[in-house]
Amino acid sequence: MDPETTIRPLLAVAVPALAALAVVLLNNREKLRDVVSPLAAITLFAIVASMAPTVLAGGTVDLRLFEILPGVDFAFRVDALGMVFATVSSLLWIVAAIYSIGYMRHLKEHAQTRFFACFATSLAAAVGGAFAANLFTLVIFYEVLSLVTYPLVYHHEDEEGWKGSRKYLVYLMGASKSVLLAALALTYHIAGSLDFVAGGLLAGADASAALLTVVYFCYLFGFAKAAVMPVHAWLPAAMVAPTPVSALLHAVAVVKMGVFCVLRVVFHVFGVGLVGELGLGTATAYLVSFTILMASVYALTRDDLKARLAYSTVSQLSYIVLGVVLLSPVAMVGGIIHIAAHAFSKITLFFCAGSIYCASGKRNISDMAGIGRRLPWTMGAFFVGSLSMIGVPPTAGFVSKWYLALGSVEAGEIAFLIVLLVSSVLNAAYFLPVSYVAFFGTEVQESPATVREIPMMTIPLVATAILSVLMGIFPGYFLALADGVVK
């Protein structure tokens, strides 16, 4: 099928960017300003959805803007892998925008205009990265995302915020300015291009196995947003940010951009065949398996709910990478759809953490005894999100983990099947006690008026919990896109 040329990929980037500008211009008109983000989110999702039929039919949507260097364009291409990321980001921005308004108003947070402007710009960067046609365009949006989320991390402007934001920026910008830049330069030197190519840009390249291996690991660690150990410490440090930012970092944009970039490298820079030929798949699988298990152990030791969720995210991201580097078709499908499964589930959990904090001021799990009886919708949604992260049917997490487990068997890698099973047990060990304490723990005596649901926050978190279940029951859309990538 010939590529379809249209301005819609550019519009998808322009809508949230223009929304950010509108937010700034409406700084003194709070009610109008707050309407901008939900309207822009709905518009963005409609634009992304309008391109889905072409992609599901096996086509692409292309838009070349201008040439930077010979073989290097600033260009967009909407394909199946990009559509997975863009669908998740644009859909979840709708609920995140509504939730953020409730959160920021309830706590009477300062600098709300800056917050909403940076939030919208981050979605522009995420969608731009999803639709990037080459490494150059992808890295531009990757860097923009790092810069515009920095003010969100230091939002509170206290000592803890500055410390966390410095680590965030040093890790992400340090990695991209060193090993990632080296990988780009070496790729261009080897191939004379930075375009994404079906089967791999570097497949058949005249380069030594040692050089290609170096380039591969430069990409793996250079895209530090994927949080593969040891370049993961920025992620728990970023938990100093407001909860809507944590949800953005862990579910919608930032970390998903990291694993998305790694998947682009595997599928369209190296190609599945070259990754297997060089033995890079197995090496990466052992590395991310270590990340999966160690991050889960760290999560078990954290009493702060957001910190526990942060280490859970480090672990869950490596599920995505593991599925792809197992190099079996079924496992690759599992890894790709885990992008969506994790997003729907983890944003639910972070929304719940923010709802608990706004309603009660509590951050630590040990202080949440009995809170489920005061916040039944919040803790019910948390329980659903937890089941999905563990992989219990009929949730989204079950579908992706099922494909990952089958793919491990298909690849003949029983060791990684064991990793998946052990990690699921660890997931249960650090998620289920939260719900147990909340519903069955002995409540500290408080006035009933003190702790209550906040509708503008409760509705979005219930909606994302429902999405987790709906994807588990009706996974066809994401499975079709994943099949389009693998085939």
Side-chain angles (χ1 to χ4, degrees), residues 406-452:
L406 289 180
S408 301
V409 175
E410 180 183 67
E413 298 286 2
I414 303 304
F416 300 120
L417 174 62
I418 294 171
V419 168
L420 292 169
L421 295 175
V422 171
S423 67
S424 291
V425 172
L426 290 171
N427 293 164
Y430 63 71
F431 276 130
L432 294 182
V434 180
S435 295
Y436 182 83
V437 166
F439 283 111
F440 302 109
T442 302
E443 183 179 10
V444 176
Q445 291 299 316
E446 294 185 58
S447 168
T450 304
V451 180
R452 63 182 185 276

mmCIF file of all heavy atoms in Angstrom, residues 406-452:
data_model
loop_
_atom_site.group_PDB
_atom_site.id
_atom_site.type_symbol
_atom_site.label_atom_id
_atom_site.label_comp_id
_atom_site.label_asym_id
_atom_site.label_seq_id
_atom_site.Cartn_x
_atom_site.Cartn_y
_atom_site.Cartn_z
ATOM 1 N N LEU A 406 3.690 -16.998 26.780
ATOM 2 C CA LEU A 406 3.669 -17.887 25.617
ATOM 3 C C LEU A 406 4.872 -17.650 24.721
ATOM 4 O O LEU A 406 5.459 -18.593 24.171
ATOM 5 C CB LEU A 406 2.384 -17.662 24.821
ATOM 6 C CG LEU A 406 1.066 -18.151 25.433
ATOM 7 C CD1 LEU A 406 -0.096 -17.832 24.494
ATOM 8 C CD2 LEU A 406 1.121 -19.653 25.718
ATOM 9 N N GLY A 407 5.251 -16.387 24.587
ATOM 10 C CA GLY A 407 6.410 -16.062 23.759
ATOM 11 C C GLY A 407 7.699 -16.606 24.330
ATOM 12 O O GLY A 407 8.598 -17.014 23.582
ATOM 13 N N SER A 408 7.821 -16.620 25.653
ATOM 14 C CA SER A 408 9.010 -17.200 26.289
ATOM 15 C C SER A 408 9.116 -18.683 25.976
ATOM 16 O O SER A 408 10.207 -19.195 25.680
ATOM 17 C CB SER A 408 8.959 -16.985 27.810
ATOM 18 O OG SER A 408 8.900 -15.627 28.133
ATOM 19 N N VAL A 409 7.980 -19.365 26.035
ATOM 20 C CA VAL A 409 7.961 -20.790 25.696
ATOM 21 C C VAL A 409 8.279 -20.982 24.215
ATOM 22 O O VAL A 409 9.057 -21.863 23.835
ATOM 23 C CB VAL A 409 6.591 -21.407 26.048
ATOM 24 C CG1 VAL A 409 6.527 -22.862 25.584
ATOM 25 C CG2 VAL A 409 6.332 -21.306 27.548
ATOM 26 N N GLU A 410 7.680 -20.146 23.356
ATOM 27 C CA GLU A 410 7.919 -20.233 21.918
ATOM 28 C C GLU A 410 9.395 -20.037 21.586
ATOM 29 O O GLU A 410 9.947 -20.699 20.694
ATOM 30 C CB GLU A 410 7.085 -19.171 21.200
ATOM 31 C CG GLU A 410 7.247 -19.168 19.681
ATOM 32 C CD GLU A 410 6.467 -18.058 19.021
ATOM 33 O OE1 GLU A 410 6.817 -16.875 19.231
ATOM 34 O OE2 GLU A 410 5.503 -18.358 18.294
ATOM 35 N N ALA A 411 10.053 -19.140 22.331
ATOM 36 C CA ALA A 411 11.477 -18.872 22.099
ATOM 37 C C ALA A 411 12.370 -19.931 22.743
ATOM 38 O O ALA A 411 13.592 -19.921 22.539
ATOM 39 C CB ALA A 411 11.843 -17.490 22.632
ATOM 40 N N GLY A 412 11.773 -20.827 23.533
ATOM 41 C CA GLY A 412 12.566 -21.845 24.226
ATOM 42 C C GLY A 412 13.373 -21.284 25.376
ATOM 43 O O GLY A 412 14.371 -21.864 25.801
ATOM 44 N N GLU A 413 12.921 -20.143 25.938
ATOM 45 C CA GLU A 413 13.645 -19.472 27.017
ATOM 46 C C GLU A 413 12.858 -19.617 28.320
ATOM 47 O O GLU A 413 12.182 -18.697 28.782
ATOM 48 C CB GLU A 413 13.842 -17.988 26.678
ATOM 49 C CG GLU A 413 14.662 -17.728 25.432
ATOM 50 C CD GLU A 413 16.152 -17.978 25.649
ATOM 51 O OE1 GLU A 413 16.535 -18.385 26.770
ATOM 52 O OE2 GLU A 413 16.931 -17.764 24.699
ATOM 53 N N ILE A 414 12.961 -20.786 28.924
ATOM 54 C CA ILE A 414 12.196 -21.078 30.136
ATOM 55 C C ILE A 414 12.679 -20.201 31.300
ATOM 56 O O ILE A 414 11.898 -19.854 32.190
ATOM 57 C CB ILE A 414 12.300 -22.565 30.498
ATOM 58 C CG1 ILE A 414 11.814 -23.422 29.322
ATOM 59 C CG2 ILE A 414 11.486 -22.891 31.749
ATOM 60 C CD1 ILE A 414 10.400 -23.097 28.856
ATOM 61 N N ALA A 415 13.946 -19.825 31.290
ATOM 62 C CA ALA A 415 14.470 -18.972 32.370
ATOM 63 C C ALA A 415 13.700 -17.661 32.448
ATOM 64 O O ALA A 415 13.396 -17.157 33.539
ATOM 65 C CB ALA A 415 15.954 -18.696 32.137
ATOM 66 N N PHE A 416 13.351 -17.112 31.285
ATOM 67 C CA PHE A 416 12.638 -15.839 31.280
ATOM 68 C C PHE A 416 11.159 -16.027 31.620
ATOM 69 O O PHE A 416 10.517 -15.114 32.139
ATOM 70 C CB PHE A 416 12.821 -15.135 29.931
ATOM 71 C CG PHE A 416 14.270 -14.847 29.630
ATOM 72 C CD1 PHE A 416 14.880 -15.374 28.505
ATOM 73 C CD2 PHE A 416 15.022 -14.085 30.508
ATOM 74 C CE1 PHE A 416 16.220 -15.129 28.241
ATOM 75 C CE2 PHE A 416 16.363 -13.833 30.252
ATOM 76 C CZ PHE A 416 16.968 -14.355 29.120
ATOM 77 N N LEU A 417 10.627 -17.222 31.348
ATOM 78 C CA LEU A 417 9.280 -17.539 31.819
ATOM 79 C C LEU A 417 9.258 -17.528 33.342
ATOM 80 O O LEU A 417 8.324 -17.003 33.965
ATOM 81 C CB LEU A 417 8.843 -18.895 31.285
ATOM 82 C CG LEU A 417 7.500 -19.425 31.804
ATOM 83 C CD1 LEU A 417 6.356 -18.501 31.414
ATOM 84 C CD2 LEU A 417 7.248 -20.849 31.296
ATOM 85 N N ILE A 418 10.294 -18.089 33.950
ATOM 86 C CA ILE A 418 10.397 -18.093 35.415
ATOM 87 C C ILE A 418 10.494 -16.667 35.943
ATOM 88 O O ILE A 418 9.887 -16.316 36.967
ATOM 89 C CB ILE A 418 11.605 -18.944 35.863
ATOM 90 C CG1 ILE A 418 11.362 -20.417 35.502
ATOM 91 C CG2 ILE A 418 11.852 -18.787 37.358
ATOM 92 C CD1 ILE A 418 12.573 -21.306 35.711
ATOM 93 N N VAL A 419 11.253 -15.818 35.255
ATOM 94 C CA VAL A 419 11.365 -14.401 35.648
ATOM 95 C C VAL A 419 9.983 -13.754 35.657
ATOM 96 O O VAL A 419 9.617 -13.040 36.603
ATOM 97 C CB VAL A 419 12.316 -13.636 34.699
ATOM 98 C CG1 VAL A 419 12.199 -12.121 34.926
ATOM 99 C CG2 VAL A 419 13.750 -14.087 34.900
ATOM 100 N N LEU A 420 9.203 -14.005 34.625
ATOM 101 C CA LEU A 420 7.866 -13.431 34.539
ATOM 102 C C LEU A 420 6.971 -13.919 35.676
ATOM 103 O O LEU A 420 6.224 -13.144 36.282
ATOM 104 C CB LEU A 420 7.227 -13.790 33.191
ATOM 105 C CG LEU A 420 7.855 -13.141 31.951
ATOM 106 C CD1 LEU A 420 7.306 -13.787 30.679
ATOM 107 C CD2 LEU A 420 7.591 -11.638 31.937
ATOM 108 N N LEU A 421 7.053 -15.211 35.986
ATOM 109 C CA LEU A 421 6.215 -15.768 37.048
ATOM 110 C C LEU A 421 6.628 -15.239 38.419
ATOM 111 O O LEU A 421 5.785 -14.852 39.232
ATOM 112 C CB LEU A 421 6.294 -17.297 37.023
ATOM 113 C CG LEU A 421 5.723 -17.973 35.771
ATOM 114 C CD1 LEU A 421 5.967 -19.476 35.809
ATOM 115 C CD2 LEU A 421 4.232 -17.679 35.630
ATOM 116 N N VAL A 422 7.945 -15.204 38.661
ATOM 117 C CA VAL A 422 8.437 -14.696 39.953
ATOM 118 C C VAL A 422 8.075 -13.225 40.119
ATOM 119 O O VAL A 422 7.642 -12.787 41.196
ATOM 120 C CB VAL A 422 9.956 -14.906 40.072
ATOM 121 C CG1 VAL A 422 10.501 -14.177 41.305
ATOM 122 C CG2 VAL A 422 10.288 -16.388 40.145
ATOM 123 N N SER A 423 8.230 -12.461 39.058
ATOM 124 C CA SER A 423 7.931 -11.032 39.153
ATOM 125 C C SER A 423 6.442 -10.797 39.397
ATOM 126 O O SER A 423 6.066 -9.861 40.107
ATOM 127 C CB SER A 423 8.378 -10.304 37.890
ATOM 128 O OG SER A 423 7.608 -10.693 36.770
ATOM 129 N N SER A 424 5.589 -11.650 38.839
ATOM 130 C CA SER A 424 4.153 -11.506 39.092
ATOM 131 C C SER A 424 3.819 -11.790 40.555
ATOM 132 O O SER A 424 2.954 -11.133 41.147
ATOM 133 C CB SER A 424 3.360 -12.443 38.180
ATOM 134 O OG SER A 424 3.437 -12.023 36.829
ATOM 135 N N VAL A 425 4.510 -12.759 41.132
ATOM 136 C CA VAL A 425 4.338 -13.030 42.565
ATOM 137 C C VAL A 425 4.782 -11.824 43.387
ATOM 138 O O VAL A 425 4.119 -11.412 44.349
ATOM 139 C CB VAL A 425 5.123 -14.287 42.976
ATOM 140 C CG1 VAL A 425 5.114 -14.456 44.498
ATOM 141 C CG2 VAL A 425 4.542 -15.527 42.305
ATOM 142 N N LEU A 426 5.907 -11.220 42.982
ATOM 143 C CA LEU A 426 6.393 -10.021 43.673
ATOM 144 C C LEU A 426 5.416 -8.863 43.495
ATOM 145 O O LEU A 426 5.201 -8.071 44.420
ATOM 146 C CB LEU A 426 7.781 -9.637 43.147
ATOM 147 C CG LEU A 426 8.925 -10.582 43.515
ATOM 148 C CD1 LEU A 426 10.199 -10.212 42.766
ATOM 149 C CD2 LEU A 426 9.175 -10.552 45.023
ATOM 150 N N ASN A 427 4.829 -8.745 42.296
ATOM 151 C CA ASN A 427 3.806 -7.720 42.072
ATOM 152 C C ASN A 427 2.676 -7.873 43.085
ATOM 153 O O ASN A 427 2.216 -6.892 43.681
ATOM 154 C CB ASN A 427 3.212 -7.828 40.666
ATOM 155 C CG ASN A 427 4.184 -7.495 39.553
ATOM 156 O OD1 ASN A 427 3.946 -7.822 38.400
ATOM 157 N ND2 ASN A 427 5.292 -6.849 39.882
ATOM 158 N N ALA A 428 2.209 -9.103 43.245
ATOM 159 C CA ALA A 428 1.138 -9.359 44.208
ATOM 160 C C ALA A 428 1.573 -9.014 45.629
ATOM 161 O O ALA A 428 0.791 -8.459 46.420
ATOM 162 C CB ALA A 428 0.712 -10.823 44.129
ATOM 163 N N ALA A 429 2.827 -9.298 45.932
ATOM 164 C CA ALA A 429 3.340 -9.067 47.285
ATOM 165 C C ALA A 429 3.406 -7.590 47.638
ATOM 166 O O ALA A 429 3.243 -7.223 48.811
ATOM 167 C CB ALA A 429 4.720 -9.711 47.437
ATOM 168 N N TYR A 430 3.654 -6.730 46.652
ATOM 169 C CA TYR A 430 3.726 -5.302 47.009
ATOM 170 C C TYR A 430 2.469 -4.506 46.651
ATOM 171 O O TYR A 430 2.314 -3.369 47.105
ATOM 172 C CB TYR A 430 4.990 -4.628 46.458
ATOM 173 C CG TYR A 430 5.168 -4.549 44.965
ATOM 174 C CD1 TYR A 430 4.394 -3.706 44.188
ATOM 175 C CD2 TYR A 430 6.184 -5.273 44.329
ATOM 176 C CE1 TYR A 430 4.593 -3.606 42.819
ATOM 177 C CE2 TYR A 430 6.387 -5.180 42.962
ATOM 178 C CZ TYR A 430 5.599 -4.337 42.219
ATOM 179 O OH TYR A 430 5.805 -4.232 40.859
ATOM 180 N N PHE A 431 1.548 -5.084 45.891
ATOM 181 C CA PHE A 431 0.310 -4.368 45.574
ATOM 182 C C PHE A 431 -0.855 -4.766 46.490
ATOM 183 O O PHE A 431 -1.572 -3.901 47.001
ATOM 184 C CB PHE A 431 -0.100 -4.612 44.114
ATOM 185 C CG PHE A 431 0.567 -3.701 43.135
ATOM 186 C CD1 PHE A 431 1.194 -4.212 42.007
ATOM 187 C CD2 PHE A 431 0.565 -2.324 43.317
ATOM 188 C CE1 PHE A 431 1.820 -3.376 41.090
ATOM 189 C CE2 PHE A 431 1.179 -1.474 42.414
ATOM 190 C CZ PHE A 431 1.809 -1.996 41.294
ATOM 191 N N LEU A 432 -1.070 -6.050 46.672
ATOM 192 C CA LEU A 432 -2.257 -6.500 47.398
ATOM 193 C C LEU A 432 -2.293 -6.033 48.855
ATOM 194 O O LEU A 432 -3.385 -5.723 49.373
ATOM 195 C CB LEU A 432 -2.382 -8.019 47.315
ATOM 196 C CG LEU A 432 -2.654 -8.569 45.907
ATOM 197 C CD1 LEU A 432 -2.811 -10.082 45.946
ATOM 198 C CD2 LEU A 432 -3.905 -7.924 45.298
ATOM 199 N N PRO A 433 -1.151 -5.954 49.570
ATOM 200 C CA PRO A 433 -1.228 -5.446 50.953
ATOM 201 C C PRO A 433 -1.768 -4.021 51.054
ATOM 202 O O PRO A 433 -2.369 -3.661 52.078
ATOM 203 C CB PRO A 433 0.236 -5.505 51.421
ATOM 204 C CG PRO A 433 0.841 -6.605 50.622
ATOM 205 C CD PRO A 433 0.201 -6.487 49.272
ATOM 206 N N VAL A 434 -1.583 -3.219 50.012
ATOM 207 C CA VAL A 434 -2.117 -1.852 50.037
ATOM 208 C C VAL A 434 -3.640 -1.897 50.124
ATOM 209 O O VAL A 434 -4.261 -1.215 50.958
ATOM 210 C CB VAL A 434 -1.677 -1.063 48.788
ATOM 211 C CG1 VAL A 434 -2.244 0.361 48.829
ATOM 212 C CG2 VAL A 434 -0.159 -1.028 48.663
ATOM 213 N N SER A 435 -4.258 -2.716 49.276
ATOM 214 C CA SER A 435 -5.713 -2.834 49.294
ATOM 215 C C SER A 435 -6.204 -3.493 50.592
ATOM 216 O O SER A 435 -7.235 -3.095 51.156
ATOM 217 C CB SER A 435 -6.196 -3.660 48.092
ATOM 218 O OG SER A 435 -5.902 -2.983 46.876
ATOM 219 N N TYR A 436 -5.460 -4.478 51.069
ATOM 220 C CA TYR A 436 -5.858 -5.153 52.305
ATOM 221 C C TYR A 436 -5.862 -4.183 53.481
ATOM 222 O O TYR A 436 -6.821 -4.122 54.269
ATOM 223 C CB TYR A 436 -4.918 -6.330 52.597
ATOM 224 C CG TYR A 436 -5.297 -7.092 53.841
ATOM 225 C CD1 TYR A 436 -6.275 -8.081 53.808
ATOM 226 C CD2 TYR A 436 -4.700 -6.782 55.066
ATOM 227 C CE1 TYR A 436 -6.640 -8.760 54.963
ATOM 228 C CE2 TYR A 436 -5.061 -7.457 56.226
ATOM 229 C CZ TYR A 436 -6.031 -8.443 56.165
ATOM 230 O OH TYR A 436 -6.401 -9.106 57.316
ATOM 231 N N VAL A 437 -4.785 -3.421 53.605
ATOM 232 C CA VAL A 437 -4.687 -2.444 54.700
ATOM 233 C C VAL A 437 -5.801 -1.410 54.584
ATOM 234 O O VAL A 437 -6.421 -1.028 55.584
ATOM 235 C CB VAL A 437 -3.296 -1.757 54.668
ATOM 236 C CG1 VAL A 437 -3.291 -0.518 55.567
ATOM 237 C CG2 VAL A 437 -2.210 -2.720 55.097
ATOM 238 N N ALA A 438 -6.061 -0.957 53.349
ATOM 239 C CA ALA A 438 -7.062 0.097 53.140
ATOM 240 C C ALA A 438 -8.471 -0.366 53.487
ATOM 241 O O ALA A 438 -9.261 0.398 54.055
ATOM 242 C CB ALA A 438 -7.011 0.574 51.689
ATOM 243 N N PHE A 439 -8.802 -1.608 53.175
ATOM 244 C CA PHE A 439 -10.170 -2.084 53.398
ATOM 245 C C PHE A 439 -10.362 -2.808 54.737
ATOM 246 O O PHE A 439 -11.451 -2.766 55.315
ATOM 247 C CB PHE A 439 -10.598 -3.015 52.261
ATOM 248 C CG PHE A 439 -10.962 -2.282 50.998
ATOM 249 C CD1 PHE A 439 -10.145 -2.383 49.871
ATOM 250 C CD2 PHE A 439 -12.092 -1.486 50.930
ATOM 251 C CE1 PHE A 439 -10.467 -1.713 48.699
ATOM 252 C CE2 PHE A 439 -12.419 -0.810 49.761
ATOM 253 C CZ PHE A 439 -11.613 -0.923 48.643
ATOM 254 N N PHE A 440 -9.326 -3.470 55.211
ATOM 255 C CA PHE A 440 -9.493 -4.307 56.401
ATOM 256 C C PHE A 440 -8.646 -3.867 57.591
ATOM 257 O O PHE A 440 -8.749 -4.464 58.665
ATOM 258 C CB PHE A 440 -9.163 -5.768 56.057
ATOM 259 C CG PHE A 440 -10.006 -6.312 54.944
ATOM 260 C CD1 PHE A 440 -9.462 -6.556 53.693
ATOM 261 C CD2 PHE A 440 -11.356 -6.569 55.140
ATOM 262 C CE1 PHE A 440 -10.237 -7.042 52.649
ATOM 263 C CE2 PHE A 440 -12.146 -7.067 54.113
ATOM 264 C CZ PHE A 440 -11.585 -7.296 52.863
ATOM 265 N N GLY A 441 -7.810 -2.859 57.401
ATOM 266 C CA GLY A 441 -7.000 -2.381 58.509
ATOM 267 C C GLY A 441 -7.837 -1.619 59.527
ATOM 268 O O GLY A 441 -8.935 -1.137 59.232
ATOM 269 N N THR A 442 -7.308 -1.503 60.738
ATOM 270 C CA THR A 442 -7.989 -0.764 61.801
ATOM 271 C C THR A 442 -7.788 0.726 61.581
ATOM 272 O O THR A 442 -6.653 1.225 61.577
ATOM 273 C CB THR A 442 -7.437 -1.168 63.177
ATOM 274 O OG1 THR A 442 -7.598 -2.574 63.353
ATOM 275 C CG2 THR A 442 -8.179 -0.420 64.283
ATOM 276 N N GLU A 443 -8.900 1.423 61.422
ATOM 277 C CA GLU A 443 -8.847 2.833 61.042
ATOM 278 C C GLU A 443 -8.478 3.719 62.224
ATOM 279 O O GLU A 443 -8.964 3.533 63.339
ATOM 280 C CB GLU A 443 -10.210 3.246 60.486
ATOM 281 C CG GLU A 443 -10.255 4.673 59.988
ATOM 282 C CD GLU A 443 -11.627 5.018 59.421
ATOM 283 O OE1 GLU A 443 -12.569 4.212 59.598
ATOM 284 O OE2 GLU A 443 -11.760 6.094 58.814
ATOM 285 N N VAL A 444 -7.603 4.681 61.956
ATOM 286 C CA VAL A 444 -7.320 5.722 62.942
ATOM 287 C C VAL A 444 -8.539 6.636 63.009
ATOM 288 O O VAL A 444 -9.085 7.034 61.980
ATOM 289 C CB VAL A 444 -6.068 6.531 62.535
ATOM 290 C CG1 VAL A 444 -5.834 7.672 63.507
ATOM 291 C CG2 VAL A 444 -4.856 5.622 62.464
ATOM 292 N N GLN A 445 -8.979 6.979 64.198
ATOM 293 C CA GLN A 445 -10.208 7.763 64.350
ATOM 294 C C GLN A 445 -10.045 9.165 63.775
ATOM 295 O O GLN A 445 -9.139 9.905 64.147
ATOM 296 C CB GLN A 445 -10.584 7.869 65.835
ATOM 297 C CG GLN A 445 -11.027 6.554 66.432
ATOM 298 C CD GLN A 445 -12.272 6.000 65.740
ATOM 299 O OE1 GLN A 445 -13.218 6.727 65.477
ATOM 300 N NE2 GLN A 445 -12.248 4.706 65.434
ATOM 301 N N GLU A 446 -10.900 9.478 62.818
ATOM 302 C CA GLU A 446 -10.918 10.807 62.226
ATOM 303 C C GLU A 446 -12.364 11.219 61.990
ATOM 304 O O GLU A 446 -13.260 10.387 61.934
ATOM 305 C CB GLU A 446 -10.167 10.816 60.881
ATOM 306 C CG GLU A 446 -8.686 10.551 61.001
ATOM 307 C CD GLU A 446 -7.998 10.693 59.638
ATOM 308 O OE1 GLU A 446 -8.099 11.776 59.038
ATOM 309 O OE2 GLU A 446 -7.375 9.724 59.200
ATOM 310 N N SER A 447 -12.569 12.508 61.830
ATOM 311 C CA SER A 447 -13.909 12.993 61.510
ATOM 312 C C SER A 447 -14.304 12.503 60.125
ATOM 313 O O SER A 447 -13.523 12.605 59.190
ATOM 314 C CB SER A 447 -13.933 14.521 61.549
ATOM 315 O OG SER A 447 -15.132 15.002 60.976
ATOM 316 N N PRO A 448 -15.523 11.940 59.953
ATOM 317 C CA PRO A 448 -15.954 11.459 58.636
ATOM 318 C C PRO A 448 -15.874 12.529 57.565
ATOM 319 O O PRO A 448 -15.728 12.228 56.392
ATOM 320 C CB PRO A 448 -17.404 11.033 58.885
ATOM 321 C CG PRO A 448 -17.476 10.733 60.342
ATOM 322 C CD PRO A 448 -16.532 11.703 60.991
ATOM 323 N N ALA A 449 -15.990 13.797 57.968
ATOM 324 C CA ALA A 449 -15.940 14.886 56.989
ATOM 325 C C ALA A 449 -14.527 15.133 56.495
ATOM 326 O O ALA A 449 -14.312 15.797 55.488
ATOM 327 C CB ALA A 449 -16.512 16.157 57.596
ATOM 328 N N THR A 450 -13.545 14.600 57.209
ATOM 329 C CA THR A 450 -12.154 14.882 56.870
ATOM 330 C C THR A 450 -11.730 14.185 55.587
ATOM 331 O O THR A 450 -11.011 14.745 54.761
ATOM 332 C CB THR A 450 -11.225 14.435 58.021
ATOM 333 O OG1 THR A 450 -11.636 15.077 59.217
ATOM 334 C CG2 THR A 450 -9.780 14.782 57.715
ATOM 335 N N VAL A 451 -12.144 12.940 55.408
ATOM 336 C CA VAL A 451 -11.708 12.124 54.274
ATOM 337 C C VAL A 451 -12.924 11.764 53.412
ATOM 338 O O VAL A 451 -13.824 11.064 53.863
ATOM 339 C CB VAL A 451 -11.017 10.832 54.761
ATOM 340 C CG1 VAL A 451 -10.558 9.997 53.573
ATOM 341 C CG2 VAL A 451 -9.842 11.165 55.662
ATOM 342 N N ARG A 452 -12.939 12.275 52.205
ATOM 343 C CA ARG A 452 -14.049 11.972 51.296
ATOM 344 C C ARG A 452 -13.559 12.034 49.855
ATOM 345 O O ARG A 452 -12.546 12.662 49.557
ATOM 346 C CB ARG A 452 -15.207 12.938 51.506
ATOM 347 C CG ARG A 452 -14.874 14.388 51.202
ATOM 348 C CD ARG A 452 -16.067 15.287 51.495
ATOM 349 N NE ARG A 452 -15.800 16.668 51.108
ATOM 350 C CZ ARG A 452 -15.163 17.558 51.853
ATOM 351 N NH1 ARG A 452 -14.728 17.191 53.050
ATOM 352 N NH2 ARG A 452 -14.960 18.788 51.435
#
